[in-house]
Amino acid sequence: MKITVGLIALFIITNCFGQKTFDKKLSIQSKAKIDKIFSEFDKKNSPGFAIGILKGKQVLYTKGYGSANLDYEIPITPNSSFDIASVSKQFTSACIALLILDNKISLETPASKFIPELSKYKDTIRIKHLIYNTSGIVDYFKLPRPDGKSWITFNYFDIDYCIKTSLAQDTLSFKPEEKWDYCNVNFMLLTKIVEKVSGQSFSEFCKQRLFQPLGMTNTLINDDVTEIIKNRVTPYNRRTPEYVEAYIKEGITIKKEGEWIQHPRNSPHYGGSGVVTTVNDLLKWSENFFTKKFGGQEFYDLMHLTQTFKNGRNNQAFGLYFDNYQGRPFVAWDGGDYGVSSQLMRFTDKKLAIVVLSNLGTGEAYKKANAIADILIGDGSL
């Protein structure tokens, strides 16, 4: 392929600090307003954000603000790799959707068929109970850690340890379907079902059946803390007295001086979290829900399938929830963990998606996404 000097110059310009933009239709005024939302983070000595806005198949705007790593002041770009925390749940759910479409399982399949430990409970836990957070299983972090350590992600633990802790309980906290209770272990168990049915590791199944077909080449399941991940951001929290005290309470000795606390993720749990990806890849994922090229209408319908249980909640789908903002319906899921914050929302009627990823624990990505939505509503894009 012939590469001109002009193309090289364009590459350099679009990858300089704070200048990662691809825009054909968003006005200069709207871009300036969006940039203002993140202005306090748009500097080398601060963690920050990566954002993306998509309408149909057209990328309206992508940009990075702040540093991916404060040690080296590496700028955040739309290709920076973020741990997206609970936004990962839709990808775990998508794997289950693919197996359902393969006619290998159904929502009514008892989970104990693949996870024998669940057979000890008198009430049958079905795959749908895991998907819709109505299983009655107590989430791992609500229970004492068996080794006496804290569940803070500085301390190593893996998915098997979490599952074992939760399933050590002899009874469920409620009968399946009677209540809704957000539970990461539900989704960890779903990864085990994917592995049993497919004969592959969960990470490999995701790679072959989801990420590669969608062209999400910078997306993976972080199931190995020793793995090298290209363009990975470092998570941070503010070094406030409140945070310092909270870390000390968790058994972590830290200094009071300084502005930021670096928080590497040393626990490779996944299913409820564990996806590492970029803004650009999440825009590809979002675009497919507008084009339905991958999976077709069947995949789309299953990912957006809601059910009504005795708990009365009927706005959750497959790792997604339905809501509306300023009278505009959207589907989304937000995520947060030590040092990270994420939001991916799709306005279905307008075929518009907003992605906000942050390497700051107090980033409140969902609020930033809402603020972007306000601007797009104001300029008629949404």
Side-chain angles (χ1 to χ4, degrees):
M1 181 175 66
K2 185 177 180 180
I3 301 176
T4 67
V5 173
L7 284 175
I8 294 173
L10 177 62
F11 177 81
I12 293 171
I13 291 170
T14 56
N15 283 275
C16 287
F17 194 90
Q19 296 297 319
K20 288 70 68 179
T21 65
F22 303 88
D23 169 38
K24 290 186 177 180
K25 295 184 178 180
L26 209 60
S27 70
I28 294 174
Q29 292 81 3
S30 292
K31 289 193 297 182
K33 290 177 182 178
I34 291 170
D35 291 346
K36 188 175 181 180
I37 296 171
F38 304 95
S39 59
E40 67 174 293
F41 305 98
D42 195 16
K43 50 191 177 182
K44 293 182 179 181
N45 62 350
S46 171
F49 295 80
I51 67 164
I53 305 169
L54 176 80
K55 190 161 189 178
K57 296 191 291 183
Q58 175 66 52
V59 177
L60 298 184
Y61 198 39
T62 62
K63 191 165 183 178
Y65 310 88
S67 282
N69 181 281
L70 296 179
D71 291 330
Y72 301 100
E73 294 185 340
I74 299 169
I76 291 173
T77 79
N79 277 322
S80 295
S81 296
F82 290 80
D83 167 16
I84 60 172
S86 288
V87 175
S88 306
K89 288 179 171 66
Q90 60 196 273
F91 294 101
T92 303
S93 301
C95 292
I96 293 295
L98 291 175
L99 292 177
I100 291 174
L101 294 176
D102 289 343
N103 294 315
K104 293 182 178 179
I105 57 174
S106 77
L107 285 173
E108 298 297 330
T109 302
S112 60
K113 180 177 179 180
F114 308 103
I115 305 164
E117 299 91 326
L118 295 177
S119 61
K120 72 177 181 179
Y121 300 118
K122 66 176 183 177
D123 297 306
T124 302
I125 297 175
R126 302 183 186 279
I127 289 176
K128 66 180 181 181
H129 299 139
L130 301 176
I131 283 278
Y132 292 102
N133 280 312
T134 183
S135 69
I137 296 171
V138 180
D139 213 355
Y140 72 95
F141 67 85
K142 297 177 182 179
L143 300 166
R145 186 166 161 168
D147 61 9
K149 294 182 180 180
S150 164
W151 286 111
I152 193 170
T153 53
F154 272 139
N155 298 324
Y156 182 92
F157 60 88
D158 60 17
I159 182 174
D160 293 319
Y161 193 82
C162 296
I163 291 173
K164 184 177 180 180
T165 300
S166 287
L167 299 191
Q169 307 302 300
D170 291 330
T171 59
L172 299 173
S173 62
F174 55 84
K175 186 176 180 178
E177 301 190 20
E178 287 190 346
K179 294 182 181 179
W180 184 91
D181 186 35
Y182 191 87
C183 180
N184 290 282
V185 167
N186 286 338
F187 288 83
M188 293 177 183
L189 291 170
L190 289 173
T191 71
K192 295 296 184 181
I193 293 172
V194 171
E195 291 179 338
K196 291 286 183 67
V197 174
S198 69
Q200 296 177 288
S201 69
F202 181 67
S203 58
E204 191 60 28
F205 184 89
C206 285
K207 179 181 178 180
Q208 292 186 12
R209 294 293 304 273
L210 273 180
F211 303 148
Q212 286 183 341
L214 286 159
M216 298 173 67
T217 56
N218 294 305
T219 303
L220 54 83
I221 304 298
N222 186 205
D223 56 356
D224 178 356
V225 295
T226 70
E227 186 174 8
I228 305 300
I229 298 177
K230 185 179 179 181
N231 298 323
R232 173 161 42 178
V233 304
T234 301
Y236 296 94
N237 285 317
R238 292 190 182 275
R239 197 179 292 268
T240 63
E242 293 78 14
Y243 266 94
V244 169
E245 184 178 344
Y247 274 88
I248 292 174
K249 188 176 180 180
E250 297 286 351
I252 308 298
T253 301
I254 66 173
K255 297 177 180 178
K256 296 181 180 179
E257 297 78 26
E259 188 173 1
W260 306 106
I261 298 169
Q262 182 174 288
H263 192 113
R265 184 177 187 265
N266 297 324
S267 51
H269 54 293
Y270 55 90
S273 60
V275 170
V276 175
T277 188
T278 67
V279 160
N280 283 336
D281 271 11
L282 288 178
L283 292 181
K284 293 177 182 178
W285 171 248
S286 301
E287 179 183 331
N288 188 67
F289 285 111
F290 302 143
T291 65
K292 303 172 188 173
K293 184 176 180 180
F294 170 83
Q297 189 68 42
E298 282 188 309
F299 178 74
Y300 179 92
D301 290 344
L302 192 50
M303 286 295 295
H304 294 81
L305 178 67
T306 59
Q307 291 198 7
T308 302
F309 298 100
K310 294 178 182 178
N311 59 54
R313 186 182 180 115
N314 63 356
N315 72 327
Q316 185 189 322
F318 274 47
L320 301 167
Y321 67 86
F322 287 79
D323 207 338
N324 74 83
Y325 185 75
Q326 304 285 18
R328 293 159 173 82
F330 70 85
V331 291
W333 203 281
D334 56 294
D337 204 348
Y338 297 101
V340 297
S341 180
S342 55
Q343 172 70 310
L344 170 55
M345 62 193 310
R346 287 183 287 108
F347 291 87
T348 50
D349 289 355
K350 298 293 184 178
K351 292 188 176 181
L352 188 142
I354 299 172
V355 181
V356 179
L357 307 179
S358 179
N359 61 336
L360 181 60
T362 54
E364 296 184 313
Y366 75 97
K367 287 187 178 180
K368 302 296 192 297
N370 288 350
I372 292 173
D374 286 334
I375 293 168
L376 298 178
I377 290 170
D379 73 6
S381 299
L382 179 57

